[in-house]
Amino acid sequence: MIRRPPRSTLSSSSAASDVYKRQVSTQSTGTVGRMECTHPEARSIRLSSQAPTQLTFEYSPTKQPLGLPELQQLTKPQIRAILVDLLRREDELRLAPAVQQVYRAIGDDETELSNFTAKIQHAVCDEFCIEPSVGSELIRSAMSLFPGDDELRNIPHYVRHNRCFEGTLTEGDTPPDCKVVGLDGKQQQLRSLLRPTGPVVLLAASHT
């Protein structure tokens, strides 16, 4: 039987901001620096010069790069305003003809695709003078940090073109049986892992 874990019931703006700060701090821990692209076209492209922005932004970059300590001093609405501009610029860069050409050249190499996408996100952070290791996490975590925000939902490229969907399972349902692959590469059925003597926790996530 599926059981949903309890969620926080904090509703005040200050409490929501504190929850947000803990999320950012947790998600940014251990974040690596810039991803190295090995594909020749991905390595050679200069993103900003290939796609000068046609957008107007509300956020004015600071002279000194903003890192996690500086972002944690901002309110949640202030962070959201920055994130909106980051996402709009990332979307613009991703859809630029020169960038799309690189994506086509990379093909189905998942590692290179991820590294090149990270390069785009880091370039966006550089333009807005935000530390890339923190800013890229903000970009990737937009929907988890601001759930139910319709405007943010319609900006990120990876959300608009995501083929995954939430599904119809609800609390109390029996999880469907399916094939799963162990760390040893062997396939088995999900129900073979369920133990009648105690609860089993299933975690699902995107590898990106």
Side-chain angles (χ1 to χ4, degrees):
M1 177 183 296
I2 295 176
R3 291 187 178 179
R4 190 181 302 276
R7 292 188 175 184
S8 171
T9 56
L10 297 176
S11 58
S12 70
S13 58
S14 60
S17 180
D18 289 339
V19 171
Y20 162 77
K21 290 174 183 177
R22 289 197 298 272
Q23 286 178 306
V24 173
S25 180
T26 300
Q27 292 168 355
S28 297
T29 301
T31 301
V32 296
R34 297 176 182 273
M35 307 295 287
E36 283 296 327
C37 297
T38 59
H39 193 281
E41 290 196 40
R43 287 176 62 90
S44 62
I45 187 172
R46 297 184 62 184
L47 292 167
S48 296
S49 61
Q50 289 290 343
T53 185
Q54 302 299 312
L55 302 173
T56 300
F57 302 109
E58 293 187 12
Y59 174 69
S60 298
T62 59
K63 293 183 178 180
Q64 296 297 324
L66 294 181
L68 182 60
E70 292 78 21
L71 290 174
Q72 286 181 318
Q73 300 303 313
L74 304 179
T75 65
K76 195 168 184 178
Q78 289 174 319
I79 290 292
R80 183 189 178 280
I82 295 174
L83 186 54
V84 166
D85 283 350
L86 289 175
L87 291 172
R88 291 173 64 223
R89 178 56 173 152
E90 185 213 18
D91 188 60
E92 183 181 40
L93 273 179
R94 285 208 196 200
L95 296 178
V99 174
Q100 287 295 302
Q101 182 178 339
V102 175
Y103 272 121
R104 286 192 294 271
I106 291 174
D108 295 328
D109 188 326
E110 291 291 341
T111 299
E112 277 299 307
L113 287 172
S114 295
N115 288 349
F116 183 56
T117 299
K119 179 178 179 177
I120 294 172
Q121 294 170 343
H122 287 175
V124 171
C125 294
D126 285 338
E127 288 185 20
F128 284 85
C129 206
I130 296 175
E131 186 179 312
S133 62
V134 178
S136 59
E137 286 297 321
L138 280 177
I139 292 173
R140 298 166 191 168
S141 305
M143 296 316 303
S144 61
L145 293 174
F146 295 91
D149 191 312
D150 289 337
E151 181 183 9
L152 285 181
R153 182 180 297 278
N154 290 317
I155 299 175
H157 185 91
Y158 67 89
V159 174
R160 293 202 317 272
H161 300 282
N162 192 354
R163 290 173 292 180
C164 300
F165 55 92
E166 188 172 347
T168 59
L169 288 176
T170 60
E171 185 173 355
D173 289 348
T174 299
D177 198 14
C178 61
K179 291 182 180 179
V180 293
V181 181
L183 295 178
D184 57 1
K186 295 180 179 179
Q187 284 192 356
Q188 51 190 317
Q189 294 299 125
L190 173 62
R191 288 187 181 170
S192 68
L193 302 176
L194 303 181
R195 301 176 182 177
T197 57
V200 176
V201 177
L202 300 177
L203 299 178
S206 167
H207 74 285
T208 58

